[in-house]
Amino acid sequence: MKNVFIFDFDGVIADSLDVVVPAYNDIAADFGLNPVASKEEFTELFNGNLYDGLQEWGLSSEGLESFLKRLSDRILEDIENIPLFDHMDRILERLFDSGFEVLIITSNTSRIINNFLRYRGVTQVKEVLGVEDGKSKVDKINKVKQRYREAGIY
């Protein structure tokens, strides 16, 4: 069995804040949320679980799915403006060529990540586990550990 290398997406593979923050601000008021004044303020959402943070900021649990759909649509409109971090394409290629299975575990939607990977020509990622696979990254990591019991996971 191949060893597995797990990455997060936002802030690790891609520098997405310059697209995500304006997308959030564009739709925030429609969901009873306040716009953010800075990237730093937006990243406060990520201090714990993103979805808990959104609810603490005032998003109802009933509105979460609709919010995520609108946010995803808005981000996809600007996908070409999200850059890979420097050298990340070579890092992913080297891991893949060394026999690793590369996975992404993210709070983002798989739809956004897969579109981004296609747009950037990144083909080394075997699987994306997004919000559709669960809100908790810890739970998703545990699922990967179960699936790859015999492998090294990094």
Side-chain angles (χ1 to χ4, degrees), residues 37-80:
S38 67
K39 290 189 257 184
E40 294 74 23
E41 183 181 355
F42 183 78
T43 59
E44 288 176 16
L45 274 174
F46 300 94
N47 285 338
N49 178 289
L50 170 66
Y51 305 101
D52 292 341
L54 284 167
Q55 287 184 322
E56 287 173 19
W57 280 14
L59 182 64
S60 71
S61 54
E62 298 80 30
L64 182 61
E65 189 174 325
S66 178
F67 175 83
L68 291 175
K69 170 81 170 85
R70 289 262 316 273
L71 184 63
S72 295
D73 290 346
R74 179 62 186 77
I75 292 168
L76 284 169
E77 293 172 11
D78 240 356
I79 201 82
E80 70 277 359

Side-chain angles (χ1 to χ4, degrees), residues 26-38:
D26 285 351
I27 68 167
D30 294 343
F31 292 89
L33 299 167
N34 293 322
V36 296
S38 67

